[in-house]
Amino acid sequence: MTDAPPPVLVMIDRAAAGGPPLGPGETGWRVVEPSERTIHVTDLGVTRGDGIFEGLGVSHGSIQALEPHLARLARSAALLDLPELDLDVIRAACLESARLHEPAPLLLQKLVVTRGIEGGDGSPTAWVRTELMPDHDAERVHGIRVVSLDRGYRHDVAQTSPWLLQGAKTLSYAVNKSVLREAARRGADDVLFVSSDGYALEGPSASLIARLDGVYVTPRTDQGILEGTTQAAAFEVLRSLGHEVAEVLLPMDEVRRADALWLVSSGRLVAPLSSLDGEPVPIDAEVTRQLADALVDRRV
């Protein structure tokens, strides 16, 4: 068994827009050793979880859905009142990190932007790290067991309480990690969040797709949930195969009568549900295979 190739870490020194133009040969980013000490102990991303991130899949050296990920990063930055981001520099850093990694069919990037050093000049801290993607083939074949857990907010929380930052992809992941531990205690692999008034939302790190009466549906994003880049790509694939798709308000009663369910994300691509709250869910192996093959082959 061979050792995994080392990750590639790129620190982004020019994450915010509005600075002086880059000089000849300047990139705004630098490649560093993954073991090098790079994050200050008073960085607000570390001490407060005050920052945002994106997870990006890399297929055969090509970053998947790079532009939608960058657009979502910018939206998250605006929701957190972070400085305007220099997406050109961040894009170049992501591309370089992917280019420098040892070739592999599937890699995973984590792109992080924090508010920077507490008491500093307000400049954000940013980096992108590329490493091998974990193997999820078994989940695509056998499915995953999911439990539904109450998120504690109504489905309209983004409109009633925008300061809660629902819909921003923040570094504050303590709750998301907590619910996965609760899922494990219940003998499950993952979680589907449900609003306090009974609508299906999303997973801790994935979007939901359900098939109802032949239509593939996903929860509307105006409920304080993320716009799923992989979900959007999956819908493009489904449309190309002649299927009808829709974004809807999705009560849990509708989810429970679906004849197939999937959680999709950049890190996992697509995983069918084999059970929801202990009740079996049929697995459509053919559609799962079609989606997985198409998502791996995307070069967008």
Side-chain angles (χ1 to χ4, degrees), residues 191-214:
V191 168
L192 173 63
F193 281 124
V194 181
S195 69
S196 60
D197 49 350
Y199 291 93
L201 298 173
E202 61 188 343
S205 58
S207 303
L208 174 70
I209 295 177
R211 188 172 63 202
L212 289 163
D213 303 321

Side-chain angles (χ1 to χ4, degrees), residues 43-236:
D43 191 286
L44 288 163
V46 175
T47 62
R48 302 292 187 185
D50 192 357
I52 56 178
F53 79 100
E54 287 289 327
L56 303 91
V58 183
S59 173
H60 300 284
S62 178
I63 302 176
Q64 299 172 314
L66 176 57
E67 296 310 316
H69 278 290
L70 292 176
R72 191 170 67 181
L73 186 79
R75 289 194 295 273
S76 293
L79 285 170
L80 269 69
D81 297 315
L82 288 169
E84 180 186 355
L85 299 180
D86 191 332
L87 297 183
D88 289 337
V89 170
I90 294 173
R91 178 188 299 106
C94 290
L95 291 170
E96 183 68 2
S97 184
R99 186 186 71 82
L100 290 175
H101 196 283
E102 183 176 315
L106 287 174
L107 301 171
L108 184 64
Q109 287 191 339
K110 188 168 187 179
L111 168 62
V112 177
V113 180
T114 83
R115 201 174 298 275
I117 303 298
E118 188 168 5
D121 62 4
S123 299
T125 303
W127 67 89
V128 58
R129 185 174 189 267
T130 303
E131 59 189 341
L132 284 179
M133 184 180 289
D135 185 355
H136 294 288
D137 286 347
E139 294 179 342
R140 284 191 274 278
V141 174
H142 302 295
I144 56 174
R145 300 161 298 175
V146 172
V147 292
S148 61
L149 296 179
D150 188 347
R151 180 172 267 177
Y153 300 131
R154 287 174 48 87
H155 78 281
D156 55 358
V157 63
Q159 288 75 46
T160 62
S161 308
W163 49 86
L164 293 176
L165 302 180
Q166 297 300 297
K169 196 170 178 66
T170 74
L171 293 174
S172 303
Y173 252 49
V175 170
N176 285 355
K177 292 300 185 181
S178 174
V179 298
L180 291 175
R181 293 193 295 273
E182 178 61 24
R185 283 190 285 269
R186 300 186 185 198
D189 307 303
D190 213 326
V191 168
L192 173 63
F193 281 124
V194 181
S195 69
S196 60
D197 49 350
Y199 291 93
L201 298 173
E202 61 188 343
S205 58
S207 303
L208 174 70
I209 295 177
R211 188 172 63 202
L212 289 163
D213 303 321
V215 179
Y216 293 81
V217 301
T218 195
R220 282 182 1 203
T221 56
D222 59 0
Q223 302 174 91
I225 66 177
L226 287 173
E227 295 183 11
T229 57
T230 306
Q231 172 269 312
F235 269 23
E236 288 182 18

Side-chain angles (χ1 to χ4, degrees), residues 231-253:
Q231 172 269 312
F235 269 23
E236 288 182 18
V237 174
L238 290 167
R239 287 191 194 96
S240 72
L241 295 172
H243 300 297
E244 183 180 352
V245 300
E247 296 183 10
V248 298
L249 285 176
L250 191 56
M252 281 302 294
D253 287 347

Side-chain angles (χ1 to χ4, degrees), residues 19-39:
L22 293 171
E26 293 183 315
T27 61
W29 49 262
R30 55 194 164 88
V31 181
V32 300
E33 286 295 320
S35 59
E36 182 179 330
R37 295 181 178 89
T38 51
I39 307 303

